[in-house]
Amino acid sequence: MLFIGICGASGSGKTTLARELVRDVNATSVVLNQDAYYKDQSHLPFEERVRLNYDEPCIFDHDLLYHDVCELMAGRSITRKGYDFSQHRRADTSEVLQPADVLIVEGIHAFYDPRLLEKMFLKLYIEVEPDVCLLRRIRRDIKDRGRAIDNIAAQYLSTVKPMYDLYIRNYVHEADVVVMKGGKNARIVDILSGYLKSALQK
């Protein structure tokens, strides 16, 4: 199994790059989105859940993500985790994920846990201009997560940008490859896919 990590700012194209690699490599694959591993906050009133910092590293259940990665790499199945972004609480599923040739973990703090970093065969960091990331985030949060523009703007200023400056931009130093222009960079996808195909054949 080849374990690949994809890190970068919110809206940089991590999910897109994962999808493009899976399509081009044409091997069995599992993609784990770190967004599905937020800690459960259902014990808090909704008003308090809304005010939490969802961009800091400690808001994620790193132990659970690490456990699932280890299970897959050991040849054991897991269930797909999930999160309800409109209600800010866990929404795990019963879908069974089987071990595969390629395992991808993508997220804003995918490089935070040193235990995961040690297991990664390839670490990719996506570099995109912050204003482009913001526009993509606005479109995604309105369309897919039912957020209002005022809420998105407030969250960006209070947590997203500060956490990017403090943590996420520095993960570039952990990367093996820096991917410019986002997940739809066809040339880099072709190069990475060829490299992964070669590694799988070996």
Side-chain angles (χ1 to χ4, degrees):
M1 174 184 285
L2 299 183
F3 176 26
I4 303 163
I6 302 178
C7 191
S10 176
S12 60
K14 299 179 295 297
T15 303
T16 299
L17 178 58
R19 184 169 57 244
E20 294 294 314
L21 288 176
V22 165
R23 185 191 66 187
D24 277 24
V25 171
N26 194 28
T28 61
S29 60
V30 174
V31 177
L32 300 182
N33 308 103
Q34 192 178 40
D35 280 356
Y37 288 83
Y38 279 112
K39 292 178 180 177
D40 185 38
Q41 306 294 343
S42 60
H43 60 286
L44 297 175
F46 181 76
E47 293 74 16
E48 290 187 34
R49 283 180 249 161
V50 172
R51 292 195 296 268
L52 291 174
N53 183 348
Y54 288 93
D55 293 273
E56 67 173 349
C58 293
I59 200 73
F60 293 96
D61 192 336
H62 296 284
D63 288 338
L64 180 58
L65 177 56
Y66 179 70
H67 170 271
D68 281 358
V69 167
C70 289
E71 288 293 287
L72 289 170
M73 295 189 75
R76 294 185 287 268
S77 63
I78 64 170
T79 55
R80 183 178 294 282
K81 306 307 183 290
Y83 197 79
D84 184 336
F85 293 95
S86 62
Q87 296 298 314
H88 300 289
R89 62 188 180 191
R90 294 199 64 80
D92 293 344
T93 76
S94 58
E95 179 187 354
V96 176
L97 300 178
Q98 301 290 347
D101 296 325
V102 176
L103 168 62
I104 300 177
V105 169
E106 62 88 3
I108 59 174
H109 293 294
F111 294 172
Y112 175 78
D113 190 339
R115 299 173 300 176
L116 286 184
L117 285 174
E118 288 182 4
K119 291 182 175 295
M120 289 177 183
F121 170 77
L122 184 64
K123 298 181 287 291
L124 307 175
Y125 184 89
I126 303 185
E127 187 77 65
V128 177
E129 290 295 326
D131 56 346
V132 175
C133 292
L134 175 57
L135 290 172
R136 291 175 178 173
R137 181 185 176 100
I138 290 172
R139 184 166 57 241
R140 179 202 67 193
D141 283 3
I142 291 175
K143 180 180 178 182
D144 300 334
R145 300 183 178 179
R147 302 277 178 81
I149 186 66
D150 289 346
N151 173 265
I152 297 169
Q155 186 180 26
Y156 182 82
L157 293 174
S158 64
T159 65
V160 178
K161 184 62 165 60
M163 293 300 99
Y164 171 78
D165 291 335
L166 184 61
Y167 293 105
I168 300 165
R169 68 189 306 173
N170 296 313
Y171 291 138
V172 68
H173 302 298
E174 302 290 349
D176 299 309
V177 178
V178 177
V179 179
M180 306 301 293
K181 302 179 182 179
K184 291 186 177 181
N185 186 332
R187 187 167 298 173
I188 193 65
V189 168
D190 286 345
I191 293 171
L192 292 172
S193 297
Y195 174 65
L196 294 174
K197 287 176 183 177
S198 176
L200 286 169
Q201 290 174 355
K202 293 178 182 179

